Amino acid sequence: MRITRNAIATMAGPSAWFTGTVYIDPVAAPSAASRVQASSVHFTPGARTAWHTHPNGQTIYVTEGVGLCQRRGGPVEVIRPGDRVFFEPAEEHWHGATADRFMTHLALLEVDADGNSATWGAHVSDEEYGQQPG
Ligand code: MN
């Protein structure tokens, strides 16, 4: 038996990138040989990302709770455990928890040649967040 101990502290999501309280656990970090980055992201009720894009796209895979996501110009969509969402490269979007449930997803992407994972924009307003899911 071999146990690999969990050694990296949970980080709070920066307020420039998120509304509400979000915690991030690193799962995989880019290295010289690999651009893969993976995180487990924990959203408290009402918490969500700001609008943003990813240079090479992103997959999120919901593991707990009930969440919401939206691409610019599309309806708000409800996402549940086992659902996965791919956001195209440069597709503007946000993701987060519903107002009354926690939501956790794995986030998987490839950083660009400079190590950037995302470009961040405006926060998702309460009006945008409160739209009835499509
Ligand atoms: Mn994203």
Side-chain angles (χ1 to χ4, degrees):
M1 184 173 101
R2 183 195 307 183
I3 298 174
T4 301
R5 297 295 178 187
N6 182 346
I8 301 174
T10 295
M11 303 176 292
S15 60
W17 301 350
F18 296 96
T19 297
T21 302
V22 176
Y23 296 101
I24 303 168
D25 288 315
V27 174
S31 68
S34 171
R35 293 186 184 177
V36 172
Q37 181 182 84
S39 319
S40 180
V41 188
H42 310 264
F43 297 84
T44 59
R48 67 270 191 180
T49 69
W51 288 101
H52 64 286
T53 62
H54 302 286
N56 295 308
Q58 177 188 47
T59 294
I60 61 172
Y61 178 82
V62 180
T63 56
E64 290 183 75
V66 185
L68 299 172
C69 64
Q70 183 183 26
R71 66 175 174 83
R72 182 70 79 183
V76 173
E77 302 273 3
V78 177
I79 49 176
R80 295 175 180 279
D83 291 345
R84 62 193 163 100
V85 182
F86 178 69
F87 301 103
E88 296 283 347
E91 182 175 58
E92 196 176 16
H93 68 281
W94 62 269
H95 30 109
T98 58
D100 55 3
R101 295 292 299 269
F102 284 82
M103 190 274 281
T104 300
H105 67 54
L106 291 174
L108 306 111
L109 58 75
E110 287 185 277
V111 299
D112 70 13
D114 297 321
N116 299 311
S117 60
T119 300
W120 294 93
H123 284 87
V124 174
S125 70
D126 289 344
E127 183 179 27
E128 290 170 319
Y129 180 74
Q131 288 172 6
Q132 200 63 27

